[in-house]
Amino acid sequence: MEVLIIATKGCSHSRNLAKELNDLGIEHKLVFAESEPELVEKYSIRHSPNLIVDNKVRFRRQPTEQELRDCLNL
């Protein structure tokens, strides 16, 4: 499973999301929208943070822990 967080550099929620994924033992990558314009275009990013799982946008906001568990089948 490939998990990607796309967020702006100033997004405080992205750090929380990354911590939650770490706590759940989920490997992920955090990329900043400012540095990856092609991903912004590919996924039509307009808000921050965004959670991409296996090349599919799953959340365009900070999900709850239960939403994360459900999304990742934990």
Side-chain angles (χ1 to χ4, degrees):
M1 171 173 34
E2 183 180 338
V3 179
L4 179 66
I5 300 170
I6 302 176
T8 60
K9 290 180 180 178
C11 177
S12 62
H13 297 294
S14 64
R15 291 175 192 87
N16 295 335
L17 180 52
K19 181 183 181 322
E20 287 185 25
L21 290 170
N22 285 334
D23 291 348
L24 293 171
I26 302 298
E27 261 188 64
H28 62 280
K29 182 178 177 184
L30 171 62
V31 295
F32 295 110
E34 297 88 342
S35 303
E36 302 285 344
E38 67 281 355
L39 290 178
V40 169
E41 184 175 337
K42 177 181 180 178
Y43 294 112
S44 299
I45 302 299
R46 301 286 182 264
H47 304 282
S48 182
N50 298 268
L51 184 67
I52 315 299
V53 179
D54 293 333
N55 296 310
K56 181 179 177 189
V57 178
R58 298 302 305 261
F59 295 98
R60 293 188 184 275
R61 60 177 172 76
Q62 169 80 42
T64 66
E65 183 178 341
Q66 188 59 53
E67 287 174 324
L68 274 178
R69 288 179 178 278
D70 293 344
C71 169
L72 301 170
N73 297 314
L74 301 177

